[in-house]
Amino acid sequence: MGPTSTVNTFISAALTLTCIALLYTLPATLAAQYNVVSLGARADGKTDSSKAFLSAWASACSSSEASTVYIPEGSFYVKSATFNGPCKCSSITFQIDGTIVAPSDYSVIGKSENWIIFSHVTGLNVYGGTLDGQGSTLWACKKSGKSCPDGATNLEFSNSKNILVSGLSSVNSQMFHIVVSGCQNVKLQGVKVTAPGTSPNTDGIHVSQSTGITILNSKIGTGDDCVSISPGSKDLWIENVACGPGHGISIGSLGWKSQEAGVQNVTVKTVTFTGTQNGVRIKSWARPSTGFARNILFQHAVMNNVQNPIIIDQHYCPNTGCPTQESGIKISDVTYQDIQGTSATKVAVKLDCSSKNPCTGIKLQDVKLTYGSQMAQASCAHAEGTASGLVQPSSCLI
Ligand SMILES: *[C@@H]1O[C@H](CO)[C@@H](O)[C@H](O)[C@H]1NC(C)=O
């Protein structure tokens, strides 16, 4: 057997055995590519291209080799799209060079939870692209006090695993921008989220019931939490994120339900908050619950004029009808290390824990926060732990 036939034998063996990672080991021509324009999509920003997107997905998902759905430059109006797995091959790429535009009339998808969703998919890479949710008419409705639908999330990954999202932009979502729910091993990198600071409920990246989620090198400016982490999530790594405007990086809200899974092993590292309502926050409702938050590390954060740079709020309630009990959420082993910068309010460190379930194992290390030319203050309730290094305002932990 000559070298060529050896290679061919190897390739055909690989094709029959597995399709994983063929994209990287074979010439691109061997991977199937489905261009949405060839399937009838129009780059005019107004013809509904949903069908073309779905037929590209159907082909990619049933392909027995690695495949790519290609969205070229231009603006594609997509009314809504559900990309369901499981797929035959766990190596699908979405290459988005253009912009995908949602209906601007919120009555079209405002009552659906999602605009674009991938569900039960294993092995997907999404590269580039802009998703424009056109949320402004829904936000105006919500602000007017009229009754309005909740709105749709721009992009959701549901019950999926081994997902990479790289270089995607999400703008003006009606509701949350990107939701990761019931997933394992999802990496979001170089993501950009943009919406006005006044847009309601437009969380940047929302993680729930998920394990092994990484968010890297991203820039999030929006009207609600830059990142929110809800019950049942663990092993999260968030690094090199710029947040603002927005409500900061939040674990919670926790403890709405009496039976609830906890949040554990979360690292938030090298983040900058600019003009945000909160910096690093843990929040829970004031009612009984089985949930918890533990093994949390907030490290190397810079606060620029942040209203609540460090906050644990176990009496969280942004609106009326607040529960009046004490939170059942047990918060433990939370470290704040190297947190520097400026607070927009006098109380820069607020640790308001549950009287029934005091916070334990809180560590403050090298924290320096100032309030204009004055000393900032720390306020603690039922917060136990230790301080080390330079801690200003000085620790009120017991
Ligand atoms: C915590 O999560 C990280 C990923 O962010 C993971 O590498 C590490 O193994 C986890 N630690 C434990 C103790 O599970």
Side-chain angles (χ1 to χ4, degrees):
M1 234 190 321
T4 314
S5 59
T6 309
V7 169
N8 285 342
T9 308
F10 170 75
I11 289 173
S12 55
L15 276 172
T16 46
L17 287 174
T18 174
C19 60
I20 297 171
L22 281 185
L23 209 52
Y24 306 104
T25 55
L26 292 178
T29 47
L30 286 182
Q33 197 189 83
Y34 304 98
N35 183 328
V36 292
V37 170
S38 317
L39 294 162
R42 297 273 295 273
D44 61 5
K46 52 178 197 264
T47 309
D48 183 14
S49 294
S50 307
K51 272 194 183 145
F53 277 63
L54 292 176
S55 86
W57 175 257
S59 300
C61 189
S62 59
S63 169
S64 52
E65 58 184 355
S67 60
T68 298
V69 171
Y70 181 57
I71 297 132
E73 281 184 19
S75 174
F76 295 90
Y77 170 61
V78 169
K79 194 170 143 191
S80 72
T82 300
F83 301 119
N84 279 321
C87 297
K88 212 161 171 185
C89 176
S90 50
S91 181
I92 299 181
T93 295
F94 250 71
Q95 175 70 47
I96 313 174
D97 287 349
T99 297
I100 309 177
V101 181
S104 58
D105 174 356
Y106 61 77
S107 67
V108 181
I109 54 163
K111 285 185 182 146
S112 322
E113 276 179 35
N114 314 283
W115 170 37
I116 298 171
I117 177 168
F118 291 92
S119 181
H120 296 96
V121 175
T122 298
L124 170 72
N125 296 336
V126 179
Y127 294 114
T130 298
L131 306 180
D132 183 353
Q134 305 228 70
S136 61
T137 54
L138 177 63
W139 311 332
C141 175
K142 287 184 175 180
K143 284 180 209 162
S144 74
K146 278 188 275 181
S147 101
C148 328
D150 285 345
T153 285
N154 261 5
L155 176 64
E156 175 164 341
F157 297 95
S158 160
N159 297 299
S160 293
K161 62 182 181 193
N162 306 342
I163 310 286
L164 170 68
V165 177
S166 182
L168 178 86
S169 296
S170 175
V171 303
N172 297 340
S173 185
Q174 289 183 351
M175 252 276 283
F176 296 174
H177 281 263
I178 300 172
V179 169
V180 175
S181 172
C183 291
Q184 286 162 48
N185 187 26
V186 177
K187 185 170 176 182
L188 303 153
Q189 63 184 23
V191 167
K192 195 171 173 203
V193 171
T194 314
T198 52
S199 56
N201 315 118
T202 54
D203 292 35
I205 299 170
H206 178 77
V207 178
S208 80
Q209 300 281 352
S210 293
T211 303
I213 311 305
T214 305
I215 301 171
L216 295 180
N217 309 337
S218 294
K219 193 170 177 339
I220 304 173
T222 192
D224 208 303
D225 293 333
C226 289
V227 178
S228 52
I229 299 161
S230 68
S233 298
K234 62 176 185 180
D235 304 343
L236 270 58
W237 191 276
I238 299 169
E239 183 170 0
N240 193 23
V241 170
C243 168
H247 293 183
I249 294 183
S250 294
I251 295 176
S253 328
L254 305 178
W256 180 255
K257 294 189 178 150
S258 60
Q259 297 292 318
E260 192 177 276
V263 171
Q264 59 188 314
N265 187 20
V266 178
T267 298
V268 177
K269 186 175 170 169
T270 318
V271 288
T272 303
F273 298 91
T274 303
T276 50
Q277 184 196 73
N278 308 286
V280 290
R281 171 164 68 160
I282 302 175
K283 53 177 170 172
S284 77
W285 300 93
R287 57 196 295 180
S289 175
T290 57
F292 59 83
R294 64 180 175 233
N295 298 333
I296 317 287
L297 172 62
F298 297 113
Q299 192 183 45
H300 310 315
V302 174
M303 305 286 170
N304 298 314
N305 203 32
V306 173
Q307 289 173 42
N308 305 296
I310 292 178
I311 178 166
I312 294 178
D313 180 4
Q314 291 212 261
H315 300 92
Y316 175 72
C317 185
N319 298 311
T320 52
C322 300
T324 54
Q325 293 156 283
E326 282 298 295
S327 175
I329 298 294
K330 290 165 195 64
I331 297 175
S332 61
D333 299 311
V334 182
T335 299
Y336 301 90
Q337 194 178 56
D338 182 25
I339 316 281
Q340 317 273 341
T342 57
S343 175
T345 67
K346 202 164 173 61
V347 178
V349 177
K350 184 176 175 183
L351 305 172
D352 181 20
C353 298
S354 164
S355 63
K356 282 233 169 89
N357 297 281
C359 299
T360 58
I362 308 291
K363 289 194 186 71
L364 293 167
Q365 190 182 359
D366 300 317
V367 172
K368 188 172 182 223
L369 295 163
T370 56
Y371 171 56
S373 55
Q374 304 175 42
M375 293 283 275
Q377 288 178 356
S379 147
C380 293
H382 314 290
E384 301 168 11
T386 55
S388 61
L390 175 74
V391 174
Q392 276 180 354
S394 52
S395 164
C396 53
L397 292 165
I398 48 170

